[in-house]
Amino acid sequence: MDSRSPSPDLPSSPPALPSTFPRRKRARIDYCYDENTSSDPPVFSSDDGPEASIDNYVTPRKKKQYRGTWWDHQPVAEASNNTAAKVDLTRNVDSGVWMGSDGTDDSAASATRSSFGADTTMSEVADLPDEVGRVGCRAIAMLSPTASKLGAVTEGLARQIIEQCLDDGKEMVDLSDLSLTAISDATLRPLRALIRAPRAADAVLDSRRSSRSDSDLYAPFTPSLQLFLSRNSLRSLPRELWNLQTLTVLSLRNNALTEIPSAIANLRNLKELNLAGNRLRWLPWELLGLVASRGPLQRLTVLPNPFVQGTRFHGELAQQGHWRFPANPQKMEAVAAQLRLKLQHTNSPGSQEQFEWLLKLHEVYAERMREIGDSNREDNWFAPKIGVDYPLNLWKEDPVHLASTPVTFFTFDGRLERHSPPPPSTTPEDIRFLPSATRHTSTAAPQSVAHASRAPSLFELSLRTITSMPFSAPLSLLPLLPPDAPDSVVRALHTVDEAKQDNGKKCSVCGKGYVIHRTEWIEWWHCVPDSLVTGLDAIGVPFLRRGCGVKCSPYEGKLWDH
Amino acid sequence: MAQQSTDYVTLVSSDGFEFKLQRSAATVSGAIKRMLDPISNFTEAQTNTCTFENINGVVLEKVCEYLYYNEKHKNNKDVPDMDIPPELCLELLMAADFLDGESCTAVCLISNADTGLV
C-alpha cells in the first residue's frame, strides 16, 4: 500500500485544501463506521434508512489499506475507485470530526481565531470562493460592514480578542481602534477569569542560575490586567468593567464618554488611567481617593475634556497659558506674598477669583513644605537649607482643594429643596463656568440645614432595606404597590434598582451606603503630582460630590483635609 | 372647647391602635407637625390626636419606633440604620412618603415664617 503510493511532499501546515476534497473525505470516512450525524455507531437498523445493510457495519479489511500517515491517503483514494459504490450510499452530513483543512462551519472557534489580521485566512478565502460564506465571513464583514451590523461585528471581534488573551494568559487586552459603540457586560465578564500564564518553569531555571528571591519564583496567578479601549466611540461603559479588580492600566482615551461612574473606586489596583479626549464635564469624587498619595493611581490623564470651570483665567495669566510652581519653601512664600498683594490691588471680581485660587494653592504648598522642614529638622537626615528644592513627591503628590460650588440640597425623596441652587450634575452643555468659592462660610448654609437631624429619613431607611433584600430585584416590587402609589415611591424604586446594579453608592462624606443623595456639589482640586508646570485648565479639575444626608455637606466641619 | 396642647400626643391607626408619643418626637414628621400645629384650627390640634386612615397598626408602630429613633440620634455622628423587617418596607415607604417621613424643619420654618412666627 505504502509502496504503491507515490510519496508526495509533506504539505506545509495548515495544508491547502485539495482539489479532490470530497473524495478524500469520503475515502477517509470509509474506515469509520458510517458518516452519520454523530460519531456513535448506529444502534438500530432503521438509523441508516433504506440502504442499510450489514456492510455499513462491517468494513473489516479497509483499515489495513489506509495505514500510514494521513497525507498518504490522498493519492490512494484518487487512484482507487473500488469504494465508489459504497460512497454513493452515504449522506453528506457532518461527520462530527473536524480537521484543520475542511471548512465546516462549526469550526468557528479556530477559523475565526485566525481571521483577524491573519493573511492566511484571506488567501484561503480567495482560493475557495464557495467557502467564503463560512470561513471568511467575519473577515469580509470587517472589510465592508453594513451600518447595522457594525456594532455586532466589532463587539464579536472584541470578544475574540478577549478569548485569545484568556487562552494565552495575556494580561494586555488591546481593544483599541475597533470603532466600538458599546460593550456589553457579557463581553468583558470572561476577563475576570483571566489567569496569568504560569512562569514556573522559567522561574525555576532562572532561580537556579541566579539566586533570585522566592517572590519571583512563586509569582501569583493573579494578573495585572491592562485594558486598552482607546479610540473607540463608547458612550457608556459596562458595569462589569468596574468589577475587574485586577485592572492596573485602563485607557479610555478618545471615546465619547459623558460620565465616569463612582464605581471606579472598586478598581483598587489601578495604576494608570487615561480619560483624555472624552466628553466629561466632571470626574467622580471617588476617583480622587485613588489619586491621593495613599491611593494606587500613579498616572492620571484627564485633559482634554470639556470640564466645567470654576474660574476664568485672564489678563497676564491667560497670555502665559501655564503656571510654574517654585520648588523651595522660600520662593513659595514669596510667590504667595506676591499673589496676596495682587489680590488686594485688583478690583474686578473675575481677577480676584483667579488670584484667590492661586493664592490658596501656594499657601497650602507653603504650609506642607514648612511641615516637611520641621519634621526633617528633628530627624536631621535632610536639613532644609535656604534655596534647596524639595522633591515633588513630598509636597505635590496629594491633591489640593481649590474651590467648590454652593451645595444643592434635595428633599428626602430626591426632589430639589426649595431655595436651593440647581444641581451641578444637570448643567447644560453650553454652560462652561459655574459659580465657585474658595471658602465655605457657615452662614452660607441654609437655616433648615442647621436644624436638620443626622438620622436618615424613614423613606431612605425603607429603601436601604429593599437594597439589602437578597434574591429580589427592586423592580419586582412595583406590581405590589397599590395603583394610586405616589410618583415619588415609584421613582425611588427605580433609583434603588440602579443603585443595586451599581453595587450600591457610598456617601462621599461619611462613607455610608445610601440610595437617594441629599446633597450635591462640585469641587475643584489641583492634582498634578509629577510636574512643576501646569496648564491653566489643569489647575483645577472638577469632581462631583454627593452626600447621603443633609448634614453631609461642606458646611459641616472640615472636609478637605485628606 | 379647645384643649391645651399637651406634652404627649396620640396617633391612631386605621385599625384602631393608639400610640402615645412625646410631642417633640412626633412633630419630627412634617405632616404630623402641621396637623398638630396649635395655631391651625384642625381637630387634630384641638384633641391632640391624629388618626391615619391609610396606615395600619403594624406599620404605625414601626413609624413610632422611627420617630423615637430619629429623636435619639438627632445629633449623633455615627447613626446606625434602624432595622426594618423586609415585609414592611413597601408599606413603610408609602407611609414615609405620606408623613414627609423626616425632620422637615425646612418646611416648618418656612410655614412659620409665612405666618410671621419666626
Side-chain angles (χ1 to χ4, degrees), chain A residues 82-105:
Chain A
N82 56 350
T83 55
K86 190 119 186 61
V87 162
D88 289 341
L89 295 179
T90 56
R91 287 173 292 168
N92 189 15
V93 285
D94 183 13
S95 66
V97 179
W98 181 80
M99 296 294 287
S101 56
D102 63 0
T104 46
D105 51 4

Side-chain angles (χ1 to χ4, degrees), chain A residues 312-326:
Chain A
R312 201 188 299 255
F313 290 99
H314 42 76
E316 230 177 288
L317 271 171
Q319 282 168 10
Q320 234 172 0
H322 62 269
W323 184 261
R324 179 180 282 278
F325 294 94

Side-chain angles (χ1 to χ4, degrees), chain A residues 159-468:
Chain A
R159 208 166 287 184
Q160 287 159 26
I161 295 173
I162 287 174
E163 236 169 62
Q164 182 78 36
C165 290
L166 280 178
D167 287 354
D168 300 350
K170 226 171 83 178
E171 292 160 293
M172 203 192 85
V173 183
D174 190 356
L175 301 178
S176 50
D177 280 317
L178 291 181
S179 44
L180 288 164
T181 47
I183 280 197
S184 67
D185 282 340
T187 309
L188 283 185
R189 197 164 291 132
L191 278 180
R192 269 209 241 181
L194 191 123
I195 292 176
R196 173 182 280 174
R199 300 183 312 196
D202 297 342
V204 169
L205 284 177
D206 283 354
S207 68
R208 280 186 192 151
R209 254 179 259 133
S210 59
S211 55
R212 277 212 271 163
S213 63
D214 281 357
S215 60
D216 280 345
L217 192 57
Y218 301 108
F221 282 130
T222 321
S224 32
L225 207 56
Q226 307 177 10
L227 184 57
F228 296 88
L229 287 163
S230 44
R231 295 190 299 276
N232 285 300
S233 314
L234 296 170
R235 277 156 210 269
S236 60
L237 294 165
R239 293 196 163 89
E240 191 61 35
L241 182 59
W242 315 117
N243 295 333
L244 298 172
Q245 305 249 348
T246 52
L247 264 187
T248 52
V249 177
L250 177 61
S251 173
L252 299 165
R253 189 163 50 92
N254 290 0
N255 277 293
L257 300 170
T258 52
E259 199 181 357
I260 301 292
S262 54
I264 196 164
N266 296 346
L267 306 179
R268 294 303 309 174
N269 295 308
L270 199 61
K271 292 199 173 66
E272 241 183 283
L273 177 66
N274 194 332
L275 299 170
N278 281 291
R279 297 183 199 155
L280 301 170
R281 307 299 315 276
W282 49 78
L283 298 170
W285 161 258
E286 286 70 16
L287 185 56
L288 206 58
L290 300 179
V291 175
S293 59
R294 57 166 175 259
L297 207 60
Q298 288 156 6
R299 220 182 154 77
L300 172 69
T301 316
V302 294
L303 288 171
N305 264 306
F307 286 135
V308 286
Q309 305 288 327
T311 186
R312 201 188 299 255
F313 290 99
H314 42 76
E316 230 177 288
L317 271 171
Q319 282 168 10
Q320 234 172 0
H322 62 269
W323 184 261
R324 179 180 282 278
F325 294 94
N328 71 59
Q330 289 77 30
K331 280 187 193 161
M332 190 65 88
E333 301 273 10
V335 176
Q338 251 178 38
L339 285 168
R340 230 170 270 136
L341 210 66
K342 274 188 187 168
L343 190 60
Q344 281 172 7
H345 292 283
T346 317
N347 295 324
S348 80
S351 302
Q352 266 180 358
E353 204 173 60
Q354 68 180 12
F355 289 131
E356 268 173 21
W357 278 45
L358 287 174
L359 178 62
K360 183 161 184 187
L361 201 48
H362 285 81
E363 277 176 346
V364 170
Y365 282 147
E367 174 70 32
R368 278 187 196 168
M369 286 174 162
R370 220 174 296 137
E371 276 170 19
I372 295 165
D374 288 349
S375 65
N376 287 332
R377 199 167 290 128
E378 287 157 21
D379 294 355
N380 214 8
W381 64 269
F382 174 73
K385 294 177 203 117
I386 305 271
V388 167
D389 285 359
Y390 280 27
L392 278 181
N393 60 354
L394 287 182
W395 56 276
K396 212 164 182 292
E397 210 167 47
D398 273 332
V400 180
H401 171 256
L402 289 173
S404 316
T405 59
V407 180
T408 306
F409 289 93
F410 297 91
T411 59
F412 67 92
D413 54 352
R415 282 173 293 123
L416 195 64
E417 187 87 68
R418 269 195 274 180
H419 310 300
S420 201
S425 61
T426 57
T427 312
E429 270 185 41
D430 52 327
I431 294 183
R432 284 206 65 208
F433 294 92
L434 285 178
S436 69
T438 46
R439 281 173 184 81
H440 273 299
T441 47
S442 54
T443 49
Q447 205 180 5
S448 58
V449 174
H451 299 284
S453 163
R454 284 183 182 275
S457 70
L458 184 57
F459 198 75
E460 172 75 25
L461 282 172
S462 312
L463 292 177
R464 284 183 197 174
T465 310
I466 294 177
T467 319
S468 58

Side-chain angles (χ1 to χ4, degrees), chain A residues 412 418 448 451 453-454 456-459 461-466 469 477 480-482 485-486 488-489 512 518, chain B residues 66 69-70 73-76 79 81-82 84 86 89-90 92-94 96-97 100-103 105-106 110:
Chain A
F412 67 92
R418 269 195 274 180
S448 58
H451 299 284
S453 163
R454 284 183 182 275
S457 70
L458 184 57
F459 198 75
L461 282 172
S462 312
L463 292 177
R464 284 183 197 174
T465 310
I466 294 177
M469 276 192 323
L477 297 174
L480 301 177
L481 285 174
S488 53
V489 173
K512 282 184 80 171
R518 304 292 303 274
Chain B
Y66 169 78
Y69 157 88
N70 191 306
H73 294 291
K74 209 165 181 159
N75 296 311
N76 287 14
V79 186
D81 280 2
M82 192 177 86
I84 290 180
C89 59
L90 267 193
L92 270 174
L93 197 63
M94 301 279 289
D97 188 63
D100 228 352
E102 76 151 19
S103 57
T105 357
I110 290 160

